[in-house]
Amino acid sequence: MPSFFISPKTTTATPNPTETPDQLVIAGRRFTSRLMTGTGKYPSIAAMQASVEASGCEIVTVAVRRVQTKAPGHEGLAEALDWQKIWMLPNTAGCKTAEEAIRVARLGREMARLLGQEDNNFVKLEVIPDARYLLPDPIGTLEAAAQLVKEGFAVLPYINADPLLAKRLEEVGCATVMPLGSPIGSGQGIQNEANIKIIIEQSKVPVVIDAGIGSPSEAAYGMELGADALLINSAIALAKDPVQMGRAMGLATTAGRLAHLAGRIPVQHIASASSPQTGLVST
């Protein structure tokens, strides 16, 4: 047998039964998946259901106002998913002011309870008066967040990638901060990298990159930066094959997280041989 042969047995790692699984923790609740998905823009309810399952996500955001008004594409949405397996994240999409968002958050909590999640106080807070670029209002978001925290909500605020605002939201008691990578649904990827890095560095709550991710490579990169989770909707729902894209985004999120934990090699300006330069056979 050649001396360089290594048997499979010697390369098999022994599982450590005491090893703690790498879990996402938001407001004391634990999740295995670090991908959150949405429920809008899919070609059909069936496509949404299959995509959510393929992605492996455990948190799905639902637009409270659109479900209540049975907006196109949202008919029967509340009954379309198994809420015993999926954690609902009601969102305040469509709200332009803090007051609107607070009212809709309360309705979302009741909706979650009616669907069997009696202990669900989560809300994705969106205050968006800007109809063209859909940029969140920082002042209204902070005002609404402070009130909702007082009312016992676990607030997940959608914000511009503003490190100072992220810190203020953390200080008022938000469960996460959710900076946008680029405008909602734009598919531009992570354009706010520098500020997102600062937010990740200074935050003591989970950082969820929300909006703008268009491809699995961008999802993986967001996780490599050190984000705790991603929220992706349009890139999955509007793909040619939403189910395959859901699976791809789930795998990319996992790969990016593993890469972040593993730690990449330093970038160098010169080459470095993969093989050692000692003990070479002389010629």
Side-chain angles (χ1 to χ4, degrees):
M1 182 181 294
S3 60
F4 57 79
F5 178 81
I6 301 176
S7 69
K9 184 176 180 180
T10 62
T11 61
T12 302
T14 303
N16 183 356
T18 63
E19 186 176 350
T20 303
D22 178 45
Q23 294 182 319
L24 171 66
V25 182
I26 300 176
R29 192 171 186 90
R30 296 180 178 273
F31 304 93
T32 301
S33 173
R34 291 175 179 270
L35 173 64
M36 307 177 189
T37 62
T39 50
K41 300 185 178 180
Y42 285 89
S44 67
I45 289 289
M48 183 273 293
Q49 292 170 312
S51 178
V52 167
E53 183 175 357
S55 73
C57 74
E58 295 171 290
I59 301 175
V60 170
T61 185
V62 175
V64 177
R65 297 180 85 170
R66 292 175 188 144
V67 170
Q68 285 199 323
T69 59
K70 297 183 180 179
H74 292 74
E75 305 94 336
L77 180 60
E79 294 76 34
L81 293 172
D82 185 350
W83 300 113
Q84 299 301 311
K85 297 179 180 178
I86 299 292
W87 190 249
M88 180 185 290
L89 177 57
N91 72 54
T92 63
C95 294
K96 298 179 180 180
T97 66
E99 292 75 17
E100 279 185 289
I102 291 167
R103 289 197 301 271
V104 171
R106 293 166 181 159
L107 293 172
R109 180 159 60 182
E110 292 308 310
M111 181 172 72
R113 289 175 176 173
L114 287 171
L115 292 171
Q117 296 186 1
E118 290 85 0
D119 57 342
N120 190 340
N121 291 317
F122 280 41
V123 62
K124 183 193 174 192
L125 176 59
E126 299 182 21
V127 181
I128 304 178
D130 169 27
R132 180 172 174 79
Y133 295 104
L134 300 177
L135 297 174
D137 174 5
I139 298 171
T141 299
L142 184 59
E143 289 175 355
Q147 179 59 37
L148 290 170
V149 168
K150 289 178 182 177
E151 296 183 18
F153 282 89
V155 181
L156 289 72
Y158 169 67
I159 60 171
N160 272 303
D162 179 342
L164 295 178
L165 175 60
K167 182 52 68 175
R168 289 292 304 277
L169 287 163
E170 181 183 317
E171 289 170 353
V172 301
C174 287
T176 71
V177 289
M178 303 181 75
L180 57 83
S182 55
I184 296 173
S186 69
Q188 294 178 24
I190 298 173
Q191 299 295 319
N192 302 313
E193 177 184 333
N195 278 13
I196 287 174
K197 283 182 176 179
I198 296 172
I199 292 171
I200 291 169
E201 178 188 349
Q202 71 177 9
S203 293
K204 294 183 175 64
V205 296
V207 176
V208 183
I209 298 178
D210 180 10
I213 289 175
S215 70
S217 62
E218 293 162 0
Y221 184 59
M223 295 303 293
E224 288 175 30
L225 290 177
D228 295 279
L230 309 172
L231 199 161
I232 304 173
N233 187 177
S234 296
I236 298 174
L238 298 179
K240 291 182 180 178
D241 187 333
V243 179
Q244 287 286 67
M245 187 59 79
R247 182 168 184 266
M249 289 297 189
L251 292 170
T253 302
T254 299
R257 175 64 178 177
L258 290 173
H260 172 69
L261 295 176
R264 64 158 293 147
I265 64 170
V267 176
Q268 301 184 103
H269 297 292
I270 59 173
S272 177
S274 299
S275 302
Q277 299 299 301
T278 56
L280 298 177
V281 175
S282 59
T283 58

